Amino acid sequence: MAVIIGFFVLLVIGVPIYAVVMMCAAGGVLMYTPTSLLVISQQLFTGLDSTTLLAVPFFIVAGTIASRGKTSESLVKCMNVIFGRLPGGPVIATIATCAFFAAISGSSMATVVAVGSLMIPALKEQGYPEDMSVGAVCSGGSLGILIPPSAPMVMFCVAMGTSVGKQFMAGFVPGILLALAWCVYVFVRCSTKKLGSRVKYSAREAVKIFMQGIPALMFPLIVLGSIYTGWATPTEAAAISTVYVLLIEKFVYHTLKLKDMVGYFYRGIVQSASLLLIIGTATALSYLITVKQIPALVVEVISGMVSSQFMLVLVVMIILFIAGCFMDTIALIVILAPILVPLLNMYNVDLIHFGIMAILASQIGYISPPFGTNLFVTMQVSGKSFGFVAKSIVPYIIILIAMTLFICFVPQISLFLPGLMK
């Protein structure tokens, strides 16, 4: 209890999450075990000693380059050709572009910046309500962690000891269903209220756009195809994604300058370091949790309170929903992994399915006040106030929560494709 209270006090006063975890781990080891504090540095090294984690910086760098080049612009044009003629077509194309760009960047914030900077001004010119376009970009950007490849998914798999390939595969159907649900909402609202204008291209223009967009459209096929065919590991595929986007931005779209590469890689390294520090410090805290046999105690307590798998899933998701509004859910999962794994195994909850549930809960946190990161990024991109963005996202959050509960209690939605893998 002392460690838990210390954790939340430090979190509330604004101490960075990695420092909170490290201080709690060190304090717990110092006060409640006879072990030397040297074990903290050993556990920190152990937590980071994984080749799988190398995928994180590669995916972040690839997403940064794609968002600042013409990859995102090409995707927007291709999606407009497909969906632009429908009622609300340009907004639907925005959500579809977010879904597709998610399979390139693996990052929510990169998706918001790449798609939002292009589409929010364009949608305003086409007569669509600003709340609809801002909400579509903010929510659509959250698909960056659900549709593979996804850096948070890699972190989750390392913490929970699951297959990255299967976890990636599990994200496809939920991601497509969620994007489709948001598109249906936009279609119905625009149809009934006659909102905005549509985008139409001639056959010649459409062919030209798709020809120019082939390199961008091939991006996720090359990266994910290399994983699922067994040709590359997730880490190698992440490296391939970085090389591929460098090549197409430099030699196809001619937007990449060598002097810019230093900045891209620097930003990727900084973002990756902050994520990997959480992994390392969480491993140190996990050592304390394991030594004090807390997982066995928690299983004993919760098994006395929860009588079924349904109740366990409901309780865990409520906790993740609430926690996700105040801190990164994936960071929370990484910290709680040693407690959750035995509990989930006891009630036969598939860890791959739980990974999707955790990602969906994290999505809600990304777009929910008061600390949703996508809200702040959308504010910068759109130039709108926090209150306006938060109000714009309400219908999209309601749909996201409904879809999350549906996917939670119908496991085959996320487990069907991983079940086809050997």
Side-chain angles (χ1 to χ4, degrees):
M1 287 302 298
V3 172
I4 292 172
I5 292 170
F7 181 90
F8 284 105
V9 169
L10 292 170
L11 202 62
V12 168
I13 64 176
V15 178
I17 183 67
Y18 77 88
V20 172
V21 178
M22 177 68 82
M23 292 165 70
C24 289
V29 168
L30 184 64
M31 291 187 291
Y32 301 112
T33 72
T35 311
S36 166
L37 279 178
L38 183 63
V39 74
I40 297 295
S41 59
Q42 293 171 341
Q43 292 299 317
L44 181 64
F45 176 81
T46 300
L48 297 176
D49 187 21
S50 169
T51 55
T52 304
L53 287 176
L54 285 173
V56 174
F58 283 122
F59 281 135
I60 290 175
V61 170
T64 301
I65 296 171
S67 66
R68 295 176 181 273
K70 281 198 172 181
T71 301
S72 55
E73 183 180 336
S74 296
L75 289 175
V76 167
K77 290 181 178 179
C78 289
M79 295 303 122
N80 263 323
V81 170
I82 298 172
F83 300 106
R85 295 175 179 268
L86 298 173
V91 184
I92 293 173
T94 299
I95 296 172
T97 304
C98 287
F100 213 98
F101 194 82
I104 292 176
S105 68
S107 166
S108 282
M109 290 182 284
T111 305
V112 171
V113 171
V115 180
S117 57
L118 291 171
M119 292 306 297
I120 290 177
L123 291 172
K124 183 178 179 180
E125 290 180 4
Q126 292 164 358
Y128 288 96
E130 287 187 278
D131 65 317
M132 177 182 284
S133 57
V134 168
V137 169
C138 185
S139 58
S142 69
L143 292 168
I145 63 169
L146 180 60
I147 298 178
S150 162
M153 274 190 186
V154 175
M155 293 175 60
F156 175 89
C157 291
V158 171
M160 303 293 282
T162 54
S163 164
V164 175
K166 287 187 176 182
Q167 193 67 67
F168 278 4
M169 188 71 85
F172 275 111
V173 176
I176 292 170
L177 286 178
L178 178 57
L180 184 61
W182 282 330
C183 289
V184 169
Y185 158 73
V186 170
F187 179 85
V188 171
R189 183 179 172 186
C190 290
S191 296
T192 54
K193 296 186 177 181
K194 309 296 182 184
L195 299 175
S197 59
R198 306 181 192 186
V199 177
K200 298 179 181 179
Y201 294 97
S202 66
R204 173 177 288 184
E205 289 174 326
V207 170
K208 182 180 179 180
I209 288 170
F210 271 107
M211 291 299 293
Q212 292 175 340
I214 286 176
L217 294 170
M218 288 294 292
F219 195 122
L221 297 179
I222 291 173
V223 175
L224 296 174
S226 65
I227 296 174
Y228 299 135
T229 58
W231 186 71
T233 65
T235 303
E236 292 165 345
I240 290 170
S241 73
T242 302
V243 173
Y244 182 78
V245 75
L246 283 171
L247 291 175
I248 64 173
E249 289 294 346
K250 177 64 178 175
F251 298 108
V252 178
Y253 296 130
H254 305 291
T255 59
L256 183 67
K257 298 179 181 178
L258 293 178
K259 65 179 181 179
D260 297 331
M261 290 178 60
V262 175
Y264 293 150
F265 280 96
Y266 174 77
R267 279 188 288 271
I269 290 169
V270 171
Q271 291 182 43
S272 303
S274 63
L275 294 174
L276 297 179
L277 265 176
I278 295 173
I279 288 279
T281 53
T283 305
L285 184 60
S286 298
Y287 168 81
L288 174 65
I289 290 171
T290 304
V291 167
K292 300 304 293 182
Q293 298 183 341
I294 294 175
L297 178 63
V298 172
V299 168
E300 182 180 344
V301 172
I302 292 185
S303 61
M305 299 168 56
V306 175
S307 57
S308 66
Q309 184 190 87
F310 176 88
M311 284 300 298
L312 175 67
V313 170
L314 189 61
V315 168
V316 171
M317 289 307 296
I318 290 173
I319 293 171
L320 293 180
F321 281 161
I322 296 172
C325 294
F326 299 94
M327 65 179 292
D328 184 8
T329 306
I330 300 303
L332 183 66
I333 294 297
V334 168
I335 296 166
L336 297 180
I339 295 175
L340 289 172
V341 170
L343 193 60
L344 296 168
N345 287 335
M346 179 180 177
Y347 284 91
N348 298 315
V349 178
D350 190 285
L351 295 182
I352 296 294
H353 178 52
F354 177 70
I356 297 302
M357 293 192 292
I359 293 292
L360 287 165
S362 190
Q363 278 189 263
I364 295 171
Y366 274 30
I367 62 177
S368 298
F371 301 120
T373 52
N374 277 24
L375 296 175
F376 299 115
V377 177
T378 306
M379 284 173 58
Q380 294 178 343
V381 172
S382 65
K384 297 296 181 180
S385 67
F386 180 83
F388 183 89
V389 177
K391 184 179 178 181
S392 300
I393 205 69
V394 170
Y396 297 92
I397 288 182
I398 293 172
I399 293 170
L400 174 55
I401 292 174
M403 289 298 297
T404 298
L405 294 174
F406 175 62
I407 291 167
C408 283
F409 296 111
V410 186
Q412 283 307 310
I413 293 175
S414 52
L415 294 178
F416 173 71
L417 289 180
L420 300 178
M421 297 178 67
K422 295 181 180 180

